[in-house]
Amino acid sequence: MAAHTRTFAVVGLTLVAAVTAGCSGSGSHTGSGGPASGSTTVSGQNQPAPTESNPPGDIPDNQVYVSYRPTGGTFTGFTLKVPEGWARTSQGGTTAFTDKLNTVRITAVSASGAPTAGSVTNAVVPQLRSHVPKFSSPKVSEVTRQAGRVVLLTYQGDSAKDPVTGKVVRDAFERYAFYRAGHEVDLTLSGPVKADNVDPWRIVSDSFTWR
């Protein structure tokens, strides 16, 4: 009788241990899986969307352009479109429109003949190399705009140091040389190398018209 009693006691203890272990494992799994999953979901829902912005120097697609015709200087017989709202400065025969990191610069001079790829390469490039910081990658070509054939010089150089931040920007330049009847108008468009201003610069350079 005592032997049977001990056997039942051992079996009972074994069953209790098995049930306890099973409940403990099940509770542990539920505790670790449920809250962690719920926490991740809430965090994802509350995470703010990234702010969209144009790269530095990019001119907005909705930029408005206005007609500009010089009223002073050595020559006033032309017009072109410039971005509306940009700051304007004038000195001698040069007028510049600037906004943040971009500039439209217009210079009118007298010339005895039409510029060529050769004359720009031999005369203009050395001048720019002497005063544009870290001047590099000059390329001269002839292109067609609405005003006709134009000599285009593209190059790169460093901007002047920002007086507030002290930063220097690597700029890309497009210099168009327009000519008619002893008058040359040089249109220089510049902005950061990584800016995508192909369309705005095309609008400006294509708008040039002789008057």
Side-chain angles (χ1 to χ4, degrees), residues 38-115:
S39 175
T40 301
T41 302
V42 172
S43 176
Q45 291 175 343
N46 293 337
Q47 183 176 359
T51 302
E52 297 293 336
S53 63
N54 290 326
D58 269 20
I59 299 173
D61 293 338
N62 61 352
Q63 174 66 56
V64 176
Y65 299 83
V66 295
S67 180
Y68 164 72
R69 179 180 181 180
T71 56
T74 58
F75 181 61
T76 60
F78 64 92
T79 63
L80 76 160
K81 292 180 179 180
V82 297
E84 184 180 41
W86 287 22
R88 173 180 170 179
T89 58
S90 297
Q91 184 175 5
T94 297
T95 298
F97 297 86
T98 304
D99 181 69
K100 300 181 179 70
L101 302 176
N102 297 299
T103 300
V104 174
R105 189 179 306 277
I106 307 151
T107 302
V109 297
S110 297
S112 57

